[in-house]
Amino acid sequence: MRKTYKLYIGGKFPRSESGRSYEVVDSRGRFLANAAQGSRKDARDAVVAARGAFGGWAGATAYNRGQVLYRVAEVMEGRRDQFVAEVRASEGVTERRAETIVSEAIDRWVWYAGWTDKLAQILGGLNPVAGPYFDISAPEPTGVVAVLAPQGSSLLGLVSVLAPVVCSGNTAVVLTSERRPLPAVTLSEALATSDVPGGVINLITGRTAEVAPWLASHRDVNAIDLTGAADAEGVSWGDLELAAAENLKRVLRPAGEGSDAVEPDWSRTPDLARVTAFLETKTVWHPKGR
C-alpha cells in the first residue's frame, strides 16, 4: 500500500485541510511515497500553533532549550538508517555520501544546541554610559519565523536553517523541500518523540509557490528565511520580500547575486549569522545604587 505522509503542526500529524497529496519520487523518478500538499489554511494553522508555543519556548531557560535540542539529536541518531536511506533516495548520492550528510546534520544540530546558553554572553553586554546607570543589552527572540527550507539539501540544509531559528527561542513554521520532503517528514517524527513542545516547530509539505506567498504576507509572522526560494519552481524571492515588508518582517535573503538565488554550500562550517538574523536587542537602563 502506498503511504501518504501527513503534516506536522502543533505537535500533531494532521492531514492537509485541502485533502490533497502529491507523489514524491527519487532521483531517478521512481515513486517513493505520497506527501500531503499543504494549503493556505494549513499555513495559517501552523502560524497559530507557533504563536501559541512562543511564550513558553522563549520563556524557558536557555539551558533547558539546549537540553531539549540535544535530545532531538539523540533521537535523530537513533533513526540514522532511515535518514541515510531517504537522503540517498532523494538526493541521488552514494550510501557513503548519505551517511556523511546525516552525520553532518546531527553534528550541526548539536552545534546550535550548544549555543543556546552562550548567546547572551556573546551577543549581549554591559554598555558604558555617562551617568549613574547600568546600561545592559541582551538578545531576545524575534517571534514566529517562517522558513523556506532548501530545495536541494533535504536534511543538512534543513537542519542548517531550522536549528539556528529555534535555538534562540523563536518558533518556526517550515515549508519543506518540495521535491525532497521525506527527510523532513522523518525529522518531524523525531521531534514528536523528543521533548520539543508542540508548536515550537511546524513542518508543511507542499508546493513552495503556493504556500510561500501566504507565509510572507501573514501579519503574525515576524520574520522569514527565503533560502528555499532558490531553485523553487515559480517562486520570485523579490516578490516574497515585498510581501514581507507589509508588516516589517525581518527577511533573510537567499544566497546569490541580485535576482539569481542559489543554494549555499551547507558543508561549510557554520557561524552565528543565521542566529543573529532572527534576534532583537533589548536595552535596559537601571540606576546604580549608592
Side-chain angles (χ1 to χ4, degrees):
M1 180 177 295
R2 293 184 171 184
K3 184 172 183 178
T4 299
Y5 289 100
K6 300 177 183 177
L7 309 174
Y8 182 63
I9 298 174
K12 301 178 181 179
F13 291 94
R15 292 181 174 85
S16 173
E17 170 274 338
S18 67
R20 298 174 299 168
S21 63
Y22 68 102
E23 289 191 352
V24 179
V25 298
D26 66 11
S27 58
R28 297 182 180 181
R30 296 173 297 191
F31 177 85
L32 290 175
N34 293 305
Q37 187 171 333
S39 66
R40 171 189 181 185
K41 178 63 165 55
D42 296 317
R44 290 170 59 190
D45 289 345
V47 172
V48 170
R51 178 58 64 191
F54 174 68
W57 185 243
T61 65
Y63 174 81
N64 177 255
R65 282 199 302 272
Q67 293 302 302
V68 169
L69 296 179
Y70 280 133
R71 176 58 185 156
V72 175
E74 291 176 349
V75 177
M76 291 175 67
E77 184 66 47
R79 304 188 71 154
R80 167 183 287 274
D81 290 345
Q82 184 177 358
F83 276 121
V84 168
E86 290 175 345
V87 168
R88 184 181 181 187
S90 298
E91 300 183 19
V93 296
T94 64
E95 183 173 359
R96 184 173 181 178
R97 176 57 184 154
E99 289 174 350
T100 300
I101 290 172
V102 173
S103 294
E104 290 178 344
I106 296 172
D107 289 347
R108 183 75 40 94
W109 194 280
V110 171
W111 191 84
Y112 280 111
W115 274 105
T116 55
D117 57 357
K118 302 171 183 66
L119 294 174
Q121 293 90 331
I122 300 299
L123 302 177
L126 186 64
N127 307 311
V129 294
Y133 303 99
F134 291 113
D135 183 71
I136 304 167
S137 293
E140 290 192 343
T142 295
V144 175
V145 181
V147 179
L148 306 188
Q151 301 298 324
S153 183
S154 57
L155 182 62
L156 179 57
L158 171 64
V159 168
S160 298
V161 296
L162 174 57
V165 168
V166 297
C167 75
S168 61
N170 295 298
T171 54
V173 176
V174 182
L175 186 56
T176 70
S177 168
E178 180 177 327
R179 293 173 284 112
R180 302 172 177 179
L182 296 192
V185 172
T186 299
L187 178 61
S188 71
E189 294 171 354
L191 294 170
T193 53
S194 68
D195 299 321
V196 178
V200 170
I201 298 173
N202 307 273
L203 293 113
I204 301 173
T205 55
R207 307 300 185 192
T208 306
E210 177 184 351
V211 181
W214 297 112
L215 290 174
S217 60
H218 198 296
R219 295 276 179 166
D220 203 28
V221 172
N222 302 107
I224 186 167
D225 182 346
L226 300 178
T227 298
D231 299 325
E233 184 178 353
V235 175
S236 166
W237 71 261
D239 291 341
L240 297 177
E241 184 178 49
L242 183 62
E246 286 294 322
N247 72 327
L248 303 180
K249 287 181 182 66
R250 282 176 171 263
V251 176
L252 183 59
R253 291 177 169 180
E257 297 292 335
S259 60
D260 297 325
V262 297
E263 190 167 322
D265 177 6
W266 300 112
S267 64
R268 297 180 61 181
T269 302
D271 55 31
L272 292 181
R274 289 188 172 274
V275 178
T276 57
F278 304 114
L279 287 175
E280 309 285 347
T281 299
K282 180 179 180 180
T283 301
V284 179
W285 293 70
H286 192 280
K288 294 180 179 179
R290 291 185 178 274

